[in-house]
Amino acid sequence: MIGRAIFNKLPFQPNRLSQLPFGAIKPKGWIAESLSKQAACVKSREYGDDVEVISVLTPIAFITGDESLIKTVTDAARGIIQSQRPDGDIPVSGEYDWWKRSVALGVLRQYFMATGDRDALKCMDKFLKYQLSVLEAHPLCDEACARSSENMLSAIFIYNLTGQKHLLKLLEIIRNQSLDWTNEWYIFPHIRPLSKYTTYSKIRSGLERDAGLNGIYQKVNSREYYLTEARSVAFGLKAPSAVNLFKSGFKEATAFKHGWKRLMKTHGVALDMYTADDHLAGGNPSQGVNLDSVSDMVYTLCDIMTLSEEVPDEIPAILEKLAFNALSAAWSADMRRRQSVLQVNQLSIGKDSHTWFSADSEASVYMERDLSAADAGLARFIAGTWYATGDEGLACVSYAPCEVNYIASGTRVRISVETEYPFEGDITINVEAKAPIDFPIYLRVPGWAEQAVIRLPDGEMIETCGGEMACVRQVWGSFSSIAVKLEMKPRMRFWHHQSASIEAGPILMCLGDGASSYWNWAIRSEQEMELVKTPETAPGFKNGESGLRVVVKAALCDQWKSDGVDFDQVPVKPEVNAAEERELVLIPFGDTFARVAQFPTYT
């Protein structure tokens, strides 16, 4: 892997964090077991040379260190390099298929970071020169136009290594041929489910009448299709942050914040994710969440952290919510079968007539599926837990158990995170350096932690507030240890129709399979909740008995109906018989197949 972090060159806006190469962070503990199972399942299949499949395999291969998968990815990357034409084009798909070529650039970028193979850089550089020469005559279209942030990131990467000025011109052309995500997040007219306006067949036929999305002539039907499509929305959320590097402005710098707030208000559910199956579907927790877009959001959040000078706590907080909930619940225990769409309130996982907009009837069934973006989600998350900092240090944004091997202040260091997080808030961070070296380690204190205590190597104790980034700077030697203790109290958050969710740390709690004979419970809106931990239970999801539980007070809500497949809308201020209130035990979302995680509330 490469041995130095890459930061922005002028005239780009400065960034605070730089992502470490795939392979610099290795999972440990329960998350390593999950990824090991996934790698074993993945490598048992046969793959062609589709670059979108290779882009999924790349993080899994280098994060798990699986030699067979690394060879598959290496052979594919070398195949892309060797296929390059004299004019610089890389023929991974049909002529001027800019989306597939953008994905191929991403594979080469990540492959170079993991291996240091400079042929990948030469290939990328030559291709970007070719793209600059033909892009105005053959503009971006369809996914390449809607998800152009992927193309921009590769141009930004090469510019930060070479400083070649023509790449700034290329970035400007790409921006001009892209969907205007910056204004989309500020205006955001898509405040209702797309199903309220049209049917999937009509929006598809409108897209076909427009002959797709063109980067210069963007017709209404095509814009509407991609501005509401699950995966494109995820890529679109980081597009303003990429544009802000070379066309800095207030709107570009703040677009993610504004866009995310609007998405969550109108389409958000308790996973900290928007519903879409496969287009924006509103805030009803019975609507589906597309798993490919969840993985793309993990990718987006990791990129935003490396594109911005400031990293608010909400970004790593969303990252953890997606990894520890959606990406855990959607897989079977053996990591072989998964859903393509999940629901926060999910009564049925069979082949039923859900209220989908466009997903097929098997979307919620746990089954073996073709490899897609969803499969890369957990590996992408691990790759985004630690970063290099501009002052030659390292920063932790999530305490998932892992080991980091990288360079700080010019010296090789190894950092081991010993913990069962997120099932507990006790973390030990062991630091070893090849030679005594002075560098900072930044530790994120999650916003949900009412109190956090950090014990430094010399025994000194410091208390910090949630939402802050604590800095521990000293001369690190052969072995030092930091202890972090985060207080994990259950808390309640409110969503669509005043429905409530319960969280313990970054884990969403829910009424799970077999926990009750009834599903239609309402919970008291103001109450003291009890967090129960079972230390002897093995950490991880779907490992048997849940080791984390929250006890809440609840009453049956007869107004809340279902058709046996999906719940009706969550009733607002339902009438319940408080005299029949009882204690309800909630378990982690990731431990369930069917569940209820957003409840009506009463006082």
Side-chain angles (χ1 to χ4, degrees), residues 16-36:
R16 183 181 177 187
L17 303 178
S18 175
Q19 194 157 15
L20 303 183
F22 287 161
I25 308 171
K26 296 292 186 185
K28 296 180 66 175
W30 70 268
I31 204 164
E33 292 177 14
S34 294
L35 279 165
S36 178

Side-chain angles (χ1 to χ4, degrees), residues 118-131:
R118 296 185 66 84
D119 286 344
L121 290 186
K122 295 174 184 176
C123 180
M124 292 177 69
D125 182 47
K126 189 174 180 180
F127 171 79
L128 292 170
K129 289 174 182 173
Y130 160 78
Q131 187 179 32

Side-chain angles (χ1 to χ4, degrees), residues 257-332:
K257 179 181 178 180
H258 281 265
W260 190 254
K261 181 178 179 180
R262 285 161 171 75
L263 266 176
M264 288 299 100
K265 182 177 180 181
T266 55
H267 304 284
V269 286
L271 290 168
D272 272 15
M273 184 61 184
Y274 52 87
T275 63
D277 55 81
D278 294 324
H279 292 261
L280 294 177
N284 183 348
S286 291
Q287 290 299 142
V289 173
N290 177 289
L291 261 296
D292 285 340
S293 66
V294 170
S295 178
D296 291 333
M297 270 307 304
V298 169
Y299 189 25
T300 280
L301 294 164
C302 293
D303 283 335
I304 288 176
M305 283 191 276
T306 67
L307 292 169
S308 308
E309 187 171 11
E310 296 298 325
V311 181
D313 182 68
E314 67 177 319
I315 292 177
I318 300 165
L319 180 69
E320 288 192 329
K321 281 291 292 293
L322 297 179
F324 297 143
N325 298 286
L327 291 178
S328 300
W331 263 263
S332 59

Side-chain angles (χ1 to χ4, degrees), residues 11-12 128 131-132 135-136 139-140 148 151-153 155-156 159 164-180 215-216 218 242-249 252:
F12 290 167
L128 292 170
Q131 187 179 32
L132 176 61
L135 197 55
E136 290 184 320
L140 302 176
S148 61
N151 200 162
M152 290 186 208
L153 287 174
I156 288 166
Y159 178 82
Q164 298 176 97
K165 300 299 183 185
H166 68 268
L167 293 169
L168 301 178
K169 181 180 178 182
L170 174 61
L171 284 165
E172 191 62 37
I173 293 172
I174 293 172
R175 182 187 72 84
N176 289 335
Q177 293 185 8
S178 304
L179 279 182
D180 188 354
I216 297 176
Q218 298 177 7
V243 171
N244 185 56
L245 295 188
F246 57 91
K247 186 186 176 295
S248 180
E252 286 78 14

Side-chain angles (χ1 to χ4, degrees), residues 440-477:
I441 294 178
Y442 294 88
L443 302 173
R444 168 182 166 252
V445 180
W448 48 258
E450 291 185 8
Q451 186 179 28
V453 178
I454 300 174
R455 190 192 70 220
L456 303 181
D458 62 3
E460 181 185 352
M461 311 283 283
I462 58 174
E463 292 188 8
T464 60
C465 298
E468 294 184 351
M469 204 75 166
C471 178
V472 180
R473 179 154 203 160
Q474 66 170 54
V475 175
W476 306 94

Side-chain angles (χ1 to χ4, degrees), residues 58-111:
T58 302
I60 300 173
F62 289 110
I63 291 295
T64 61
D66 187 282
E67 293 296 333
S68 174
L69 290 178
I70 289 174
K71 183 180 185 304
T72 299
V73 170
T74 299
D75 289 348
R78 294 297 310 173
I80 293 171
I81 294 166
Q82 291 163 8
S83 72
Q84 189 166 37
R85 294 171 178 165
D87 63 1
D89 191 17
I90 45 178
V92 294
S93 185
E95 195 170 23
Y96 308 122
D97 183 345
W98 297 119
W99 170 242
K100 293 278 191 177
R101 285 160 171 77
S102 295
V103 174
L105 290 177
V107 169
L108 293 177
R109 185 172 79 240
Q110 293 161 355
Y111 167 73

